[in-house]
Amino acid sequence: MSTECEEFLNMAIAYLEIGRVAGSAETEFKHVHEYENAIAYQMFHAVELFYKYMIKKKTGSAPHTHKLQELEKSYLELYPSSDYKVDHPFKFDEYHPCELNIGELELHQKHIKQFKPDFIDQHLRYPRDHRTGGYSFSIDSSSFEKMNNQFLRISSIDC
């Protein structure tokens, strides 16, 4: 029987498995934006649950938020070593414009203001409108296996 803390890790791994299976499925929707974002949501939610698992493992409680940046900040405060770094595709603060593209930084800032990355889970789960959309992900099924390996490696490190 899993502890409440371990359930976060088990669910994170389950979401990765669902994403891997959906990402490797031969379907007519495979390259359709909505299908790809639904697959990306599986990885997003897995990362969210993994951060909550690791935070709960160290502090005894998991934050009640879906904001990945907040969770990541808390996680990195508790686990500052590079051994605990989670490499995932939802890091919007690592964007660097190409100096050859005139106006790219301003375009990026306008986009971020309209389509707030704090609500990326909403962008991935719902159809596009004036508040959601603006993000498109195409995550290969092998990325889910790599993320699973990261989670297992990190969670096995003695804190």
Side-chain angles (χ1 to χ4, degrees):
M1 181 119 211
S2 301
T3 67
E4 185 181 329
C5 185
E6 290 169 337
E7 287 178 2
F8 279 98
L9 179 60
N10 293 342
M11 294 228 28
I13 290 171
Y15 273 96
L16 290 177
E17 181 64 11
I18 292 166
R20 185 191 65 74
V21 170
S24 62
E26 290 304 320
T27 172
E28 63 189 83
F29 298 107
K30 188 168 184 119
H31 300 292
V32 174
H33 162 79
E34 294 83 3
Y35 189 83
E36 290 181 326
N37 275 3
I39 290 170
Y41 177 73
Q42 308 312 305
M43 183 170 288
F44 172 87
H45 200 53
V47 173
E48 175 189 344
L49 291 170
F50 180 74
Y51 282 151
K52 287 180 178 184
Y53 163 71
M54 293 296 288
I55 292 167
K56 185 174 178 92
K57 184 176 167 181
K58 191 105 172 196
T59 67
S61 65
H64 295 284
T65 183
H66 301 288
K67 294 181 179 179
L68 209 56
Q69 287 180 317
E70 283 181 18
L71 289 167
E72 188 167 64
K73 182 177 185 274
S74 298
Y75 171 80
L76 292 173
E77 287 172 2
L78 294 168
Y79 302 97
S81 168
S82 62
D83 292 341
Y84 292 94
K85 184 178 186 293
V86 176
D87 185 27
H88 63 79
F90 309 105
K91 295 184 184 233
F92 298 99
D93 56 345
E94 292 183 356
Y95 170 79
H96 300 287
C98 175
E99 60 188 46
L100 299 175
N101 296 329
I102 298 169
E104 182 179 349
L105 180 59
E106 292 80 14
L107 183 63
H108 171 74
Q109 290 169 337
K110 181 180 174 186
H111 180 88
I112 293 297
K113 185 176 180 182
Q114 180 178 358
F115 301 113
K116 297 168 181 52
D118 272 356
F119 303 106
I120 193 67
D121 64 313
Q122 303 295 306
H123 297 286
L124 297 174
R125 290 175 24 210
Y126 295 103
R128 292 180 271 198
D129 65 15
H130 68 283
R131 297 164 300 151
T132 63
Y135 298 98
S136 184
F137 291 88
S138 180
I139 301 176
D140 183 81
S141 62
S142 67
S143 297
F144 288 93
E145 294 170 30
K146 290 175 189 169
M147 187 67 67
N148 184 60
N149 291 338
Q150 276 189 82
F151 288 179
L152 295 177
R153 179 189 58 76
I154 292 169
S155 65
S156 70
I157 300 172
D158 289 332
C159 304

